[in-house]
Amino acid sequence: ELKINWYELEKGYTNYAEGCGRRWAGIFYLEEGEVHVYTKTDTFVLHPGDLCFLPQGLKHYTVSYGRPHVKFFDLAFSFRTMHDTTFDQSFPCIKLKTIRGEQARDRLQYIFGRFNGSDQEKLLAISEFYRLFSDIIGEIQSESKETIHPVVKKAMNFIEEHCLEDFSMADLANHCLISESRLYHLFQKELHRTPVSYKNRLRIKKAFALLNQTNLPIEEIAEKLAAGVPYVIRQKIPETGTTTFF
Protein backbone atom coordinates (compact mmCIF):
# COMPACT_ATOMS: atom_id res chain seq x y z
CA GLU A 1 0.00 0.00 0.00
CA LEU A 2 1.20 3.49 -0.78
CA LYS A 3 0.01 6.85 0.53
CA ILE A 4 1.58 10.27 0.11
CA ASN A 5 0.50 13.50 1.78
CA TRP A 6 1.71 17.08 1.53
CA TYR A 7 1.27 19.23 4.65
CA GLU A 8 1.56 22.96 5.18
CA LEU A 9 1.03 24.19 8.74
CA GLU A 10 0.94 27.76 9.96
CA LYS A 11 2.40 27.03 13.38
CA GLY A 12 4.57 24.46 15.05
CA TYR A 13 2.98 21.33 16.46
CA THR A 14 3.76 18.10 18.28
CA ASN A 15 2.88 14.73 16.76
CA TYR A 16 2.87 11.54 18.86
CA ALA A 17 3.22 8.04 17.42
CA GLU A 18 3.47 6.08 20.63
CA GLY A 19 1.52 3.03 21.78
CA CYS A 20 1.80 0.60 18.86
CA GLY A 21 3.93 3.10 16.91
CA ARG A 22 3.71 3.95 13.20
CA ARG A 23 1.25 1.80 11.30
CA TRP A 24 3.33 1.98 8.11
CA ALA A 25 6.95 2.65 7.26
CA GLY A 26 7.55 6.10 5.84
CA ILE A 27 9.83 8.46 3.95
CA PHE A 28 9.64 11.99 5.34
CA TYR A 29 10.89 15.10 3.52
CA LEU A 30 11.02 18.55 5.12
CA GLU A 31 10.74 21.57 2.83
CA GLU A 32 10.28 24.37 5.34
CA GLY A 33 10.62 24.70 9.11
CA GLU A 34 12.46 22.51 11.59
CA VAL A 35 11.44 19.10 12.97
CA HIS A 36 12.89 17.39 16.06
CA VAL A 37 12.47 13.60 16.00
CA TYR A 38 12.59 11.72 19.32
CA THR A 39 12.75 7.91 19.57
CA LYS A 40 13.60 5.59 22.44
CA THR A 41 17.25 5.36 21.38
CA ASP A 42 17.93 8.43 19.28
CA THR A 43 17.17 12.10 18.67
CA PHE A 44 17.89 14.13 15.56
CA VAL A 45 16.86 17.38 13.92
CA LEU A 46 15.59 17.75 10.36
CA HIS A 47 16.27 20.92 8.42
CA PRO A 48 14.86 22.00 5.03
CA GLY A 49 16.02 19.56 2.34
CA ASP A 50 16.45 16.62 4.74
CA LEU A 51 14.94 13.21 3.97
CA CYS A 52 14.53 10.52 6.63
CA PHE A 53 13.28 6.95 6.89
CA LEU A 54 10.85 5.95 9.66
CA PRO A 55 10.35 2.17 10.13
CA GLN A 56 6.97 0.57 10.69
CA GLY A 57 6.05 0.25 14.37
CA LEU A 58 8.46 3.01 15.44
CA LYS A 59 7.42 4.60 18.73
CA HIS A 60 8.36 8.25 18.51
CA TYR A 61 7.19 11.80 18.61
CA THR A 62 8.10 14.88 16.61
CA VAL A 63 8.11 18.55 17.49
CA SER A 64 7.88 20.92 14.53
CA TYR A 65 8.63 24.62 14.41
CA GLY A 66 7.31 26.83 11.62
CA ARG A 67 9.41 29.72 10.39
CA PRO A 68 6.74 30.86 9.58
CA HIS A 69 5.43 27.60 8.09
CA VAL A 70 6.08 23.87 8.42
CA LYS A 71 5.92 22.16 5.02
CA PHE A 72 6.67 18.48 4.46
CA PHE A 73 5.90 15.34 2.48
CA ASP A 74 5.03 12.11 4.31
CA LEU A 75 5.19 9.08 1.98
CA ALA A 76 3.88 6.05 3.89
CA PHE A 77 4.10 2.51 2.51
CA SER A 78 3.50 -1.10 3.44
CA PHE A 79 4.40 -4.23 1.46
CA ARG A 80 2.15 -7.25 1.93
CA THR A 81 3.25 -10.84 1.35
CA MET A 82 2.06 -14.20 2.55
CA HIS A 83 4.84 -14.16 5.15
CA ASP A 84 4.02 -10.60 6.29
CA THR A 85 7.33 -9.08 5.29
CA THR A 86 7.52 -5.54 6.68
CA PHE A 87 10.06 -2.75 7.01
CA ASP A 88 9.79 -2.70 10.78
CA GLN A 89 12.08 -1.74 13.66
CA SER A 90 14.79 -4.15 12.53
CA PHE A 91 15.58 -1.17 10.29
CA PRO A 92 16.91 2.09 11.74
CA CYS A 93 15.23 5.45 11.94
CA ILE A 94 17.78 7.54 10.03
CA LYS A 95 18.37 10.80 8.23
CA LEU A 96 19.20 9.74 4.68
CA LYS A 97 22.31 10.96 2.85
CA THR A 98 21.81 9.23 -0.52
CA ILE A 99 19.09 11.64 -1.65
CA ARG A 100 18.29 15.05 -0.23
CA GLY A 101 17.62 18.67 -1.14
CA GLU A 102 16.03 19.61 -4.45
CA GLN A 103 16.45 16.11 -5.88
CA ALA A 104 14.40 14.58 -3.06
CA ARG A 105 11.77 17.34 -3.27
CA ASP A 106 11.39 17.04 -7.05
CA ARG A 107 10.96 13.27 -6.93
CA LEU A 108 8.37 13.40 -4.16
CA GLN A 109 6.50 16.20 -5.94
CA TYR A 110 6.44 14.01 -9.06
CA ILE A 111 4.93 11.11 -7.07
CA PHE A 112 2.45 13.35 -5.26
CA GLY A 113 1.36 15.15 -8.42
CA ARG A 114 0.57 11.97 -10.32
CA PHE A 115 -0.64 9.65 -7.57
CA ASN A 116 -3.97 11.47 -7.28
CA GLY A 117 -4.46 11.68 -11.05
CA SER A 118 -5.65 9.20 -13.67
CA ASP A 119 -4.90 5.48 -13.51
CA GLN A 120 -2.02 5.95 -15.95
CA GLU A 121 -0.59 8.76 -13.83
CA LYS A 122 -0.89 6.57 -10.72
CA LEU A 123 1.22 3.93 -12.46
CA LEU A 124 3.88 6.56 -13.22
CA ALA A 125 3.85 7.60 -9.55
CA ILE A 126 4.21 3.97 -8.42
CA SER A 127 7.10 3.41 -10.83
CA GLU A 128 8.92 6.48 -9.47
CA PHE A 129 8.34 5.23 -5.92
CA TYR A 130 10.04 1.94 -6.87
CA ARG A 131 13.03 3.86 -8.20
CA LEU A 132 13.22 6.07 -5.11
CA PHE A 133 12.97 3.08 -2.80
CA SER A 134 15.65 1.19 -4.76
CA ASP A 135 17.96 4.21 -4.41
CA ILE A 136 17.68 4.41 -0.61
CA ILE A 137 17.31 0.75 0.46
CA GLY A 138 21.07 0.16 0.34
CA GLU A 139 21.70 2.96 2.85
CA ILE A 140 18.91 1.71 5.12
CA GLN A 141 20.23 -1.85 5.04
CA SER A 142 23.86 -0.84 5.67
CA GLU A 143 22.80 1.12 8.75
CA SER A 144 20.80 -1.84 10.05
CA LYS A 145 23.82 -4.18 9.86
CA GLU A 146 26.28 -2.11 11.92
CA THR A 147 25.50 -3.59 15.34
CA ILE A 148 24.21 -7.03 14.37
CA HIS A 149 25.54 -10.23 15.95
CA PRO A 150 28.35 -11.80 13.82
CA VAL A 151 26.44 -15.07 13.40
CA VAL A 152 23.36 -13.21 12.17
CA LYS A 153 25.53 -11.19 9.78
CA LYS A 154 26.96 -14.44 8.40
CA ALA A 155 23.46 -15.83 7.94
CA MET A 156 22.29 -12.60 6.25
CA ASN A 157 25.21 -12.70 3.83
CA PHE A 158 24.43 -16.33 2.93
CA ILE A 159 20.75 -15.54 2.37
CA GLU A 160 21.65 -12.51 0.22
CA GLU A 161 23.93 -14.63 -1.97
CA HIS A 162 21.49 -17.55 -2.31
CA CYS A 163 18.04 -15.95 -1.93
CA LEU A 164 16.88 -17.31 -5.30
CA GLU A 165 17.84 -20.86 -4.35
CA ASP A 166 15.95 -23.39 -2.26
CA PHE A 167 17.76 -24.10 0.99
CA SER A 168 16.56 -25.28 4.37
CA MET A 169 17.01 -23.84 7.85
CA ALA A 170 19.36 -26.76 8.49
CA ASP A 171 21.53 -25.73 5.53
CA LEU A 172 21.70 -22.18 6.84
CA ALA A 173 22.53 -23.32 10.38
CA ASN A 174 25.28 -25.65 9.11
CA HIS A 175 26.82 -22.80 7.15
CA CYS A 176 26.86 -20.67 10.31
CA LEU A 177 28.16 -23.54 12.49
CA ILE A 178 25.31 -23.17 14.96
CA SER A 179 22.15 -25.07 15.89
CA GLU A 180 18.90 -24.28 14.11
CA SER A 181 17.14 -23.22 17.30
CA ARG A 182 20.00 -20.91 18.33
CA LEU A 183 20.17 -19.32 14.89
CA TYR A 184 16.42 -18.81 14.82
CA HIS A 185 16.54 -17.19 18.27
CA LEU A 186 19.39 -14.84 17.32
CA PHE A 187 17.72 -13.87 14.04
CA GLN A 188 14.47 -13.03 15.81
CA LYS A 189 16.29 -11.12 18.55
CA GLU A 190 18.44 -9.04 16.18
CA LEU A 191 16.08 -8.49 13.22
CA HIS A 192 12.61 -9.17 14.67
CA ARG A 193 11.87 -11.51 11.76
CA THR A 194 12.56 -15.08 10.66
CA PRO A 195 15.22 -16.10 8.11
CA VAL A 196 12.41 -16.99 5.68
CA SER A 197 10.88 -13.53 6.04
CA TYR A 198 14.29 -11.94 5.43
CA LYS A 199 14.76 -14.07 2.31
CA ASN A 200 11.34 -13.03 1.00
CA ARG A 201 12.18 -9.37 1.57
CA LEU A 202 15.28 -9.75 -0.59
CA ARG A 203 13.18 -11.32 -3.33
CA ILE A 204 10.87 -8.30 -3.20
CA LYS A 205 13.90 -6.04 -3.62
CA LYS A 206 14.97 -8.02 -6.69
CA ALA A 207 11.43 -7.78 -8.03
CA PHE A 208 11.61 -3.98 -7.69
CA ALA A 209 14.86 -3.94 -9.66
CA LEU A 210 13.40 -6.05 -12.46
CA LEU A 211 10.23 -3.96 -12.59
CA ASN A 212 12.26 -0.75 -12.78
CA GLN A 213 14.98 -1.89 -15.17
CA THR A 214 13.16 -4.22 -17.57
CA ASN A 215 9.88 -4.55 -19.43
CA LEU A 216 9.34 -8.11 -18.23
CA PRO A 217 5.75 -9.08 -17.33
CA ILE A 218 5.05 -9.77 -13.66
CA GLU A 219 4.59 -13.50 -14.31
CA GLU A 220 8.08 -13.79 -15.81
CA ILE A 221 9.58 -11.81 -12.93
CA ALA A 222 7.94 -14.20 -10.46
CA GLU A 223 9.44 -17.14 -12.38
CA LYS A 224 12.90 -15.57 -12.32
CA LEU A 225 12.66 -15.04 -8.56
CA ALA A 226 12.54 -18.84 -8.12
CA ALA A 227 10.05 -21.68 -8.49
CA GLY A 228 7.33 -21.57 -5.88
CA VAL A 229 7.85 -17.91 -5.05
CA PRO A 230 5.49 -17.29 -2.08
CA TYR A 231 3.95 -14.11 -3.32
CA VAL A 232 2.57 -12.54 -6.47
CA ILE A 233 2.87 -8.82 -6.96
CA ARG A 234 -0.18 -7.17 -8.40
CA GLN A 235 -1.66 -3.74 -8.21
CA LYS A 236 -5.10 -2.56 -7.37
CA ILE A 237 -6.30 1.02 -7.52
CA PRO A 238 -9.54 1.25 -5.54
CA GLU A 239 -11.69 4.33 -5.17
CA THR A 240 -9.76 5.40 -2.07
CA GLY A 241 -6.68 6.14 -4.20
CA THR A 242 -4.55 3.70 -2.21
CA THR A 243 -2.42 1.29 -4.23
CA THR A 244 -2.03 -2.18 -2.74
CA PHE A 245 0.73 -4.68 -3.47
CA PHE A 246 0.29 -8.34 -2.51
Side-chain angles (χ1 to χ4, degrees):
E1 297 183 18
L2 177 64
K3 294 180 180 179
I4 182 167
N5 293 297
W6 163 249
Y7 298 94
E8 180 175 347
L9 306 173
E10 292 294 332
K11 298 180 180 179
Y13 73 108
T14 301
N15 177 45
Y16 292 91
E18 299 182 316
C20 62
R22 282 185 65 97
R23 180 184 174 191
W24 293 4
I27 299 170
F28 182 96
Y29 173 79
L30 182 65
E31 181 160 349
E32 288 187 22
E34 182 177 290
V35 176
H36 295 241
V37 181
Y38 301 89
T39 71
K40 184 177 181 180
T41 60
D42 198 13
T43 300
F44 57 87
V45 180
L46 298 174
H47 301 285
D50 284 340
L51 190 72
C52 76
F53 171 76
L54 302 171
Q56 182 175 339
L58 176 70
K59 297 180 180 180
H60 72 292
Y61 71 93
T62 60
V63 180
S64 304
Y65 302 92
R67 299 179 180 178
H69 304 285
V70 180
K71 296 181 180 181
F72 61 90
F73 283 104
D74 186 3
L75 195 165
F77 61 91
S78 177
F79 301 124
R80 296 182 178 182
T81 72
M82 289 180 65
H83 290 276
D84 197 27
T85 299
T86 60
F87 288 86
D88 57 20
Q89 292 177 81
S90 58
F91 292 87
C93 174
I94 60 170
K95 185 189 299 188
L96 296 164
K97 302 175 183 178
T98 307
I99 301 173
R100 65 181 312 280
E102 291 184 0
Q103 181 187 14
R105 181 199 63 200
D106 291 347
R107 296 180 73 172
L108 287 168
Q109 283 182 339
Y110 180 94
I111 296 171
F112 179 76
R114 286 159 179 77
F115 190 72
N116 295 310
S118 65
D119 287 356
Q120 184 175 1
E121 289 177 323
K122 285 185 175 72
L123 294 178
L124 292 173
I126 294 164
S127 178
E128 179 59 27
F129 167 73
Y130 284 153
R131 285 190 287 269
L132 176 64
F133 187 80
S134 296
D135 288 342
I136 67 174
I137 185 61
E139 182 177 353
I140 296 170
Q141 286 182 320
S142 65
E143 289 285 337
S144 70
K145 289 184 179 181
E146 288 186 356
T147 59
I148 292 175
H149 192 286
V151 171
V152 177
K153 280 188 177 180
K154 188 173 183 178
M156 291 170 67
N157 290 335
F158 180 87
I159 295 171
E160 289 168 7
E161 292 176 9
H162 303 279
C163 67
L164 300 186
E165 303 172 15
D166 290 327
F167 58 85
S168 66
M169 189 69 182
D171 295 330
L172 184 60
N174 289 335
H175 174 78
C176 297
L177 303 177
I178 194 173
S179 70
E180 292 182 48
S181 59
R182 177 61 176 164
L183 177 59
Y184 190 91
H185 171 75
L186 287 174
F187 221 92
Q188 286 277 26
K189 180 181 178 181
E190 295 285 331
L191 302 182
H192 308 287
R193 68 177 64 249
T194 67
V196 171
S197 177
Y198 183 74
K199 179 180 179 181
N200 289 339
R201 190 190 68 187
L202 293 177
R203 288 183 173 182
I204 291 174
K205 180 183 175 183
K206 289 184 180 293
F208 286 161
L210 289 171
L211 284 168
N212 289 333
Q213 300 166 12
T214 72
N215 294 319
L216 295 174
I218 290 175
E219 293 78 10
E220 189 171 341
I221 290 175
E223 184 178 353
K224 285 180 177 293
L225 287 175
V229 67
Y231 53 83
V232 175
I233 303 174
R234 66 180 177 86
Q235 72 169 17
K236 183 174 71 173
I237 306 178
E239 294 180 358
T240 59
T242 300
T243 301
T244 305
F245 296 91
F246 297 93

